[in-house]
Amino acid sequence: MTPYRPRRDHIAVRPSWRCRVCGAPWPCQPAKLQLLDLYADDRLGLMVDLGMAMAAALPDLPRDENQLDRFVRWARPPRRRVD
């Protein structure tokens, strides 16, 4: 039997929007991997949830950063090659 280990989800702490586990700007790399795994069959749902998180974060974050890249663009599906 596997011993119980509490999950250490990489989630955002507001209003800083930094990861509560590693302190990196959220979504941090582990959070991105968790989100990609969670939404493996629903990329549209992932994009909607990330867009909602970005909308919630905008009042708290500086305007000089590109929040679209931080919150949404990393999750775009890979482009298909057209030959």
Side-chain angles (χ1 to χ4, degrees), residues 57-67:
L58 285 176
D60 298 329
L61 297 175
R63 298 275 184 229
D64 60 343
E65 296 178 18
N66 188 341
Q67 304 306 341

Side-chain angles (χ1 to χ4, degrees), residues 27-41:
C28 58
Q29 191 60 35
K32 290 176 182 178
L33 293 174
Q34 287 175 350
L35 288 164
L36 287 172
D37 185 50
L38 180 65
Y39 287 94
D41 297 321

